[in-house]
Amino acid sequence: MSIRNLAEFGTRHVARGIGRLATEVIESGSGSYVTMASGRKFLDFTCGIGVANLGHCHPAVTKAAQTQAGKMVHAQVNIAFQRPYLELIEQLIPLMPDKSLDTFFFWNSGSEAVEAAVKLARHATKKQNVIVMQGSYHGRTFGTMAMTKSKTIYGENYGPLMPGVFAVPFPDCAHCSIAAHAGGKFSYEKCCMDPVTELELLLKRETAPSDTAAIFIEPVLGEGGYVPVPEGYLQRVREICDKNNILLVADEVQSGFGRTGKMFAIEHWGVRPDILVMAKGIANGFPLSGIVSRKELMDTQKPGSMGGTYAGNAVSCAAGIAVAKAFQEESILENVNARGKEMMDALKELKQKHGDMVHDVRGLGLMQAIEFKAGKGYGSKVQAKCMEKDMLILTTSIYDTLRFIPPLNISQEDMAKGLGIIKEAVEEVAQGAKPEETGTKGLAPE
Ligand SMILES: Cc1ncc(COP(=O)(O)O)c(C=O)c1O
């Protein structure tokens, strides 16, 4: 089929509900680049939305998967233990943000893993309700649709959704009305902690502690705009959880596996989660997700009540082992922090130069964003310009925000190239250059 016919075929036969960034057809990927069927090669600052974090087709990950595919593809967790599953746990235990996190359950997608966390929290506490953050993204399945509060599109016309979900404001200092009116008194480094008060009020007004099983939080809000929690906030939430026998669940589907410069984002604040949710970067593109918690909680579940046909697939687990080894052998976190600083410096420079256009720049490691002032559609224009210059980037959140998700092992040269393209694109949009049509409508989030 010709390229044109392929794209037309896709438009006709692929579910319309799947939005997409480009009308191109992806053919292959290698490291920080993706090649389209048209022959165009794009520098990829999306990593397939934070999944191929070690670059596309990382050689050691590909080799591990190929070897495992020749040995055993589907071992089925409900039949017997399988070697790669156990060896992956062995690799992951030392990487966990707290020693108490020692018992694992693997599933396929992030949404399923979030639901596994809801099941565990309800079962272990014998309580039903969960609290989530406004702006959070936890997935698109029936349970997680109810927990996703980043945009109405994810739940619109799909109700009734799972009951028992309550939402509180996420501590988003760039949109905090108290900070806005306090003349610089409050900031990310010194939060007004109003969201903590809101949480306490919620537990008094809407969902009693005796009915509340868990609080779910993304330590760095993903789809909601790449917003790290401010200093001190998670500690306060931990105290509320401890006082009320509520479990703290860190959804690190997007922020985990090195994305923020630590193995898990929650390490930036030194807070212990009761349950940690993982996916995306765990196997660099092979479908795998999981939860980890302490044994005493996990052991409340009856044998047979957890599992799933493809859960913890052997090839995905083998890929996951190779990912964990690569982190050690290839000094991935060092690179994230070095490249992350280069990126933050460049974004700050853009903010300084284009203060009339840029509302905020923020992020940790290589999970960074630039938010433009509302109303002019700057983000989509810059995104379209980047596409013209053969670079993939994504928008996110209800605000006019671009998020940057480059490979964690991106070279200094490719980072400089990417930042150069972003700067050029912002300059051109600032000068009012009209972006050409590039088919960048209907952006595909998450
Ligand atoms: C924080 C977070 N949780 C859950 C999910 C859902 O994961 P999946 O799309 O694999 O179901 C995502 C996906 O982007 C996410 O970013």
Side-chain angles (χ1 to χ4, degrees), residues 270-336:
V271 168
R272 174 185 65 82
D274 296 291
I275 305 172
L276 180 74
V277 185
M278 307 167 278
K280 289 193 186 269
I282 188 173
N284 213 47
F286 289 86
L288 187 67
S289 67
I291 59 169
V292 56
S293 186
R294 51 185 181 276
K295 187 165 167 55
E296 120 218 11
L297 281 187
M298 292 288 243
D299 280 358
T300 60
Q301 294 182 307
K302 291 189 180 144
S305 67
M306 297 299 286
T309 300
Y310 301 112
N313 171 268
V315 177
S316 297
C317 286
I321 296 166
V323 168
K325 288 185 178 161
F327 266 92
Q328 284 158 19
E329 288 162 12
E330 298 171 26
S331 309
I332 301 292
L333 292 182
E334 283 86 335
N335 196 59
V336 174

Side-chain angles (χ1 to χ4, degrees), residues 109-170:
S109 70
S111 309
E112 287 172 309
V114 170
E115 292 200 359
V118 174
K119 281 177 74 168
L120 175 60
R122 282 186 168 180
H123 199 81
T125 62
K126 308 274 183 290
K127 301 193 269 184
Q128 282 193 17
N129 295 344
V130 296
I131 295 175
V132 297
M133 302 287 138
Q134 285 163 5
S136 63
Y137 184 91
H138 295 295
R140 292 188 180 95
T141 56
F142 255 92
T144 57
M145 255 195 298
M147 299 167 71
T148 288
K149 306 286 181 192
S150 55
K151 284 183 196 149
T152 50
I153 189 172
Y154 300 120
E156 192 182 348
N157 282 334
Y158 293 116
L161 305 179
M162 179 178 80
V165 180
F166 295 79
V168 277
F170 182 89

Side-chain angles (χ1 to χ4, degrees), residues 173-194:
C173 302
H175 292 279
C176 169
S177 56
I178 297 175
H181 294 111
K185 194 169 153 212
F186 298 118
S187 64
Y188 169 80
E189 286 77 24
K190 194 174 182 323
C191 173
C192 65
M193 292 291 158
D194 187 58

Side-chain angles (χ1 to χ4, degrees), residues 45 342-343 346 391 414-424:
F45 270 39
E342 289 160 9
M343 176 174 261
M391 179 185 184
D414 281 338
M415 176 55 79
K417 180 175 163 188
L419 293 175
I421 293 175
I422 294 164
K423 268 192 213 167
E424 257 176 53

